[in-house]
Amino acid sequence: MAANDKIQILCYGDSNTWGCIGKWVESDEPSARYDTDTRWPTVLQKESGKNLHVIEEGLGGRTTIYPHPTEPWKNGEPYLLPCLHTHRPLDLVVIMLGTNDTKDRLGMNAACIGLGMERLVRKCMSVDCWGKHGPNVLIVALPPIGDE
């Protein structure tokens, strides 16, 4: 199958998409990263067959549209358009963001996070970056974390 015949999937997310190995204690040391065989975008490509090309675009701390107080470049909105154009044509954009929006320092509630996500989806849908199977946007959320 020719490379341009593959379904192009962009996975746009935060540290979960990047493959961060979580730390349970705050530290100034950088986070470790899962190997390419373990990160979920790579697993998606491997498990789905050879007709996919999955692009990892993960950044630790990335939010939907809200600037981080000390690292404003982690706002997911400004980089989205260049990212869509860089990897075009795309058939599917998977957005896995919102977890960092819940941090206390941002002061966001579920409604604000939903509006941020809606803005990203609308931006994706409005860009001329789509292949023959697009436009398609899939929102992925982490499962709830319980006391167990």
Side-chain angles (χ1 to χ4, degrees), residues 81 84-85 119-130 135 137:
L81 284 179
L84 294 171
H85 284 286
R119 201 150 106 190
L120 294 180
V121 170
R122 288 183 186 278
K123 190 162 279 200
C124 287
M125 300 300 281
S126 70
V127 175
D128 184 17
C129 65
W130 298 101
V137 179

Side-chain angles (χ1 to χ4, degrees), residues 8-27:
Q8 303 291 320
I9 300 175
L10 172 67
C11 297
Y12 192 73
D14 56 21
S15 60
N16 294 299
T17 301
W18 182 76
C20 180
I21 299 174
K23 297 185 288 187
W24 302 109
V25 177
E26 282 295 320
S27 166

Side-chain angles (χ1 to χ4, degrees), residues 7-14 16-18 40-42 44-45 48 52-59 62 76 80 83-84 87 90-98 117 120-121 124-125 129-130 135-142:
I7 295 170
Q8 303 291 320
I9 300 175
L10 172 67
C11 297
Y12 192 73
D14 56 21
N16 294 299
T17 301
W18 182 76
W40 75 262
T42 309
L44 170 66
Q45 180 163 336
S48 299
L52 295 183
H53 177 228
V54 179
I55 304 155
E56 295 177 287
E57 277 289 348
L59 173 65
R62 183 181 279 155
L80 182 59
C83 186
L84 294 171
H87 298 294
L90 296 166
D91 299 297
L92 172 64
V93 174
V94 178
I95 302 175
M96 188 173 175
L97 288 173
M117 185 64 75
L120 294 180
V121 170
C124 287
M125 300 300 281
C129 65
W130 298 101
N136 294 294
V137 179
L138 173 66
I139 298 170
V140 176
L142 292 174

Side-chain angles (χ1 to χ4, degrees), residues 65-124:
I65 64 168
Y66 303 105
H68 185 283
T70 60
E71 299 172 306
W73 49 273
K74 290 190 174 183
N75 174 343
E77 187 175 28
Y79 182 62
L80 182 59
L81 284 179
C83 186
L84 294 171
H85 284 286
T86 297
H87 298 294
R88 69 187 167 96
L90 296 166
D91 299 297
L92 172 64
V93 174
V94 178
I95 302 175
M96 188 173 175
L97 288 173
T99 304
N100 292 301
D101 296 30
T102 65
K103 292 182 177 176
D104 288 340
R105 66 179 165 241
L106 293 178
M108 297 296 132
N109 60 26
C112 292
I113 297 167
L115 289 172
M117 185 64 75
E118 179 182 7
R119 201 150 106 190
L120 294 180
V121 170
R122 288 183 186 278
K123 190 162 279 200
C124 287

